[in-house]
Each structure stands twice: as structure tokens, then as C-alpha cells.
Amino acid sequence: MRLLSALALFVLLGLLFVRSYTVPPAPDRRGGTTVSLAWPNRPLFGSPRADCLATPESEPAIACLIASVNRARSAGIPLLSLGFCATCYDLSQRIALIGRDEAAAQARLAQIARFGW
């Protein structure tokens, strides 16, 4: 019983470090969902869009989006790369909106969507 409890605790501790991000397909890139091991400094279904919602509206979103994906790729150890997952994309967007001003966040998401993100 103790061995089973220790194994469950070890697995749960490891799951704290599992993160994913989803990049939608666009004409210039393949979309996909990547699951990686990384520090738990972003939500489980972290989104490049979530990192860019707080930036000033005058700042172009594309630079922030590219930098966010590059940070996610360089900070983690990839475990699994999957094709584009629309459910993961929608979930990451809902998580990105938690605790934010709905109208301002939706306006920023509309601006980000023009870049195909």
C-alpha cells in the first residue's frame, strides 16, 4: 500500500511540470499541440495568446506571439507533438480569459486572430 501511495505521489508531482501549448495552423506554419516538461509558470493548457493579452494595444501582437512560443519551446523538454487540437485551442483561450476584463481581452484576441493565432 505504501509503495502504491508513493508511486501515485511521484506521478502527481511529475504532472505538475507537464505543460502544453497549441499553435493554430496558418498558411505559413503547421499547427499543433505540444506537450512538454517545463517549470509550472504557466497554465497546463498555456497559450501563446494568454501571454500577449496584457501587452499594450499599441504594441504589435505578432512579436509577442512568436516570443511566447519560442519561450515555451526553449524552456521545456518536448514529450509529445500532436496535430492541431481545436478543443485544446478553445480550452487554452478560455483559460487565458480567466481573471481578465472580458471586453478588453476579447478586443485583444480579435487583434491576435488577424495574425492567424
Side-chain angles (χ1 to χ4, degrees), residues 49-55 95-106:
R49 295 178 313 283
D51 291 345
C52 301
L53 288 180
T55 57
I95 290 172
L97 293 175
I98 293 174
R100 299 188 191 274
D101 177 34
E102 184 75 24
Q106 288 295 346

Side-chain angles (χ1 to χ4, degrees), residues 22-32 48-49 61-62 65-66 69 84 89 93 108-117:
T22 300
V23 177
D28 60 339
R29 68 178 181 277
R30 285 183 39 214
R49 295 178 313 283
I62 193 70
L65 294 167
I66 292 170
V69 170
F84 177 70
Y89 184 79
Q93 183 166 325
R108 187 67 171 165
L109 284 173
Q111 182 184 30
I112 289 171
R114 286 189 294 231
F115 293 107
W117 293 74

Side-chain angles (χ1 to χ4, degrees), residues 41-103:
N41 58 357
R42 61 191 308 164
L44 177 62
F45 287 96
S47 162
R49 295 178 313 283
D51 291 345
C52 301
L53 288 180
T55 57
E57 197 164 319
S58 61
E59 183 179 312
I62 193 70
C64 177
L65 294 167
I66 292 170
S68 176
V69 170
N70 286 337
R71 276 192 306 275
R73 287 181 178 158
S74 67
I77 301 168
L79 297 176
L80 188 62
S81 289
L82 306 168
F84 177 70
C85 169
T87 304
C88 299
Y89 184 79
D90 291 338
L91 181 61
S92 69
Q93 183 166 325
R94 279 189 249 134
I95 290 172
L97 293 175
I98 293 174
R100 299 188 191 274
D101 177 34
E102 184 75 24

